[in-house]
């Protein structure tokens, strides 16, 4: 079901067969999702909490906890388990006491229930007509699977740092994904809202697409919609990415 | 999108969250697909060949070539590359000379273009409403991805022996799949038309469903539609499996 259309945008992209997507922040709105679920949870309990700060604190511990694994200070640890270590600290910091183990586990799995950016499902559905679309996330496989089923994200398959036991931006993750996809690195395009992810992919020979997600860190800390960086594509969202890659519009 | 319906069949299956499927012979008809593509290919060239024998010879070399990897006589080798070694011998045996490298590669990828059994897509679509549905095949990831896109097989994700560098029936493959799915082994059900695959899965603690594929090896060598073996479910096809697992019928 490959629909061939002329690739007007960039002839050097003619060999791209597969798109691999960063997920947290690029495909889904982790901050808005955590705030929304937190506010609903607190409302039912008559609690008041700064959920934006809660979300930001959780996310702020993300990179350091993975870096501890990358440096070998921790053995390989699934992101679910890294999230849980941070959550246990946050519950103390925000004075949320008395949660049952079941409640804590449910909260930890909020990352399995993140909500896509409004263009994500429609954009992926178009891109999938022309390219293999796969995750390439630091989230563990079961997290990404639950999220895909919850949100209707139509991945062809779920690729994760967990498969390589190396968190991005380790080279093993980008090169391992290309190998599993049966592709040369230059036949794979990494799609992300984060320049450092794309720079690492580029250093491995992958093509790169920057997608702007100005609201990822909230309206008071907007991110630029275009960034300096030597990317093959800079797109406003997944629909714009599909336009630029000449992925056909679906007849509906 | 989990639809809860009473599980009338077997209460001991209540904890099953994910179904992992053997692919060659269980989800797709490798023999019929190779015969069909061979006959079309030969017709265009005025050739005559016993394509059933060609398919059977190719498949007969499958187990020994993987066993050489399992015993450590060969380093890890993708199934695509094992298939190619066999194909090169078959082309000599069947006196098919003068093929270009591109033609040989296209022939080797016939395994990427195998056709599903008639009930497979409809059955998986129903089962997916209730369970995670994933491959657990000795085929490499890119083979399984191409096949899924070609045939419309709606896997949630593609799991392969390649991820574990262990071919079934090695334990690492079944236990590795359960771990990636975030499941205890008993929360995963292996679905296959081959008792030896199910016996190995069962020894790892997985649930098992035998699906009859009496025509897998052709009408002159029919396989039994029920086999002796201690399986949790014995099903006539994927639709019967969905019935027995109370997977809802889709409103269409």
């Amino acid at each position: 079901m490959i629909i061939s259309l002329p690739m007007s945008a960039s002839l050097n992209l003619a060999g791209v067969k597969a798109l691999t997507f960063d997920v947290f922040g690029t495909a889904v709105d982790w901050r808005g999702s955590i705030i929304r679920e937190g506010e609903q949870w607190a409302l039912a309990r008559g609690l008041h909490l700064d959920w934006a700060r809660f979300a930001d604190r959780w996310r702020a511990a993300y990179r350091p906890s993975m870096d501890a694994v990358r440096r070998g200070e921790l053995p390989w640890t699934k992101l679910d388990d890294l999230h849980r270590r941070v959550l246990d600290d946050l519950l103390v910091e925000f004075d949320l006491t008395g949660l049952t183990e079941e409640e804590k586990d449910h909260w930890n799995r909020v990352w399995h229930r993140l909500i896509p950016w409004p263009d994500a499902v429609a954009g992926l559905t178009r891109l999938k007509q022309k390219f293999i679309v796969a995750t390439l996330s630091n989230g563990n496989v079961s997290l990404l699977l639950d999220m895909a089923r919850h949100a209707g994200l139509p991945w062809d398959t779920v690729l994760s740092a967990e498969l390589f036991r190396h968190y991005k931006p380790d080279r093993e993750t980008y090169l391992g994904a290309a190998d599993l996809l049966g592709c040369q690195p230059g036949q794979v395009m990494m799609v992300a809202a984060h320049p450092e992810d794309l720079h690492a992919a580029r250093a491995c020979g992958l093509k790169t697409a920057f997608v702007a997600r100005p609201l990822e860190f909230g309206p008071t800390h907007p991110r630029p919609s275009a960034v300096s960086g030597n990317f093959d594509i800079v797109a406003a969202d997944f629909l714009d990415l599909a336009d630029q890659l000449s992925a056909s519009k679906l007849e509906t």
Side-chain angles (χ1 to χ4, degrees), chain A:
Chain A
M1 290 232 287
I2 306 297
I3 297 169
S4 294
L5 285 176
M7 250 205 196
S8 56
S10 320
L11 285 174
N12 68 332
L13 300 180
V16 171
K17 293 182 176 179
L19 308 180
T20 55
F21 290 78
D22 175 60
V23 173
F24 302 123
T26 300
V28 298
D29 174 15
W30 55 268
R31 190 174 188 274
S33 303
I34 292 173
I35 292 172
R36 187 162 91 173
E37 192 159 325
E39 287 175 346
Q40 288 176 339
W41 184 83
L43 188 66
R45 285 160 185 79
L47 297 174
H48 295 281
L49 209 75
D50 182 349
W51 289 104
R53 193 165 154 262
F54 187 90
D56 290 339
R57 293 280 296 150
W58 209 346
R59 181 68 172 179
Y62 170 79
R63 186 79 261 164
S65 67
M66 286 190 300
D67 284 344
V69 174
R70 293 179 65 226
R71 286 191 303 263
E73 297 165 14
L74 280 178
W76 175 257
T77 308
K78 292 190 193 211
L79 193 62
D80 269 347
D81 297 325
L82 295 177
H83 278 151
R84 177 58 190 267
R85 288 167 177 240
V86 180
L87 175 63
D88 287 341
D89 291 341
L90 281 182
L91 294 178
V92 175
E93 179 182 335
F94 284 80
D95 201 23
L96 281 168
T97 53
L99 271 67
T100 64
E101 173 54 33
E102 191 179 357
E103 286 173 311
K104 291 177 191 172
D105 184 61
H106 183 76
W107 251 114
N108 201 48
R109 288 171 180 270
V110 68
W111 297 91
H112 295 222
R113 298 185 295 271
L114 300 180
I115 298 161
W117 295 109
D119 53 278
V121 172
L124 288 171
T125 302
R126 280 179 58 195
L127 289 161
K128 188 176 178 174
Q129 300 292 311
K130 187 162 179 177
F131 303 99
I132 293 171
V133 294
T135 60
L136 188 54
S137 167
N138 285 330
N140 42 289
V141 169
S142 67
L143 181 161
L144 296 168
L145 271 173
D146 285 345
M147 182 198 291
R149 290 170 60 85
H150 184 260
L153 292 161
W155 309 118
D156 284 307
T157 195
V158 161
L159 299 181
S160 160
E162 186 182 16
L163 300 181
F164 315 106
R165 299 201 159 213
H166 279 278
Y167 281 116
K168 293 188 293 182
D170 283 356
R171 292 173 61 81
E172 288 83 350
T173 305
Y174 306 99
L175 295 175
D179 180 54
L180 289 179
L181 293 167
C183 287
Q184 298 298 316
Q187 295 175 313
V188 179
M189 174 173 278
M190 184 74 208
V191 182
H194 310 123
E196 63 278 17
D197 196 356
L198 297 177
H199 292 149
R202 185 180 178 82
C204 294
L206 280 70
K207 305 293 187 197
T208 54
F210 174 80
V211 175
R213 294 301 188 193
L215 295 176
E216 179 182 356
F217 294 92
T220 55
H221 297 89
R223 288 296 188 270
S225 59
V227 296
S228 60
N230 204 355
F231 308 127
D232 295 294
I233 288 182
V234 173
D237 59 23
F238 286 6
L239 294 168
D240 182 32
L241 180 65
D243 285 342
Q244 293 192 47
L245 289 170
S246 303
S248 68
K249 288 185 176 142
L250 290 176
E251 310 281 340
T252 49

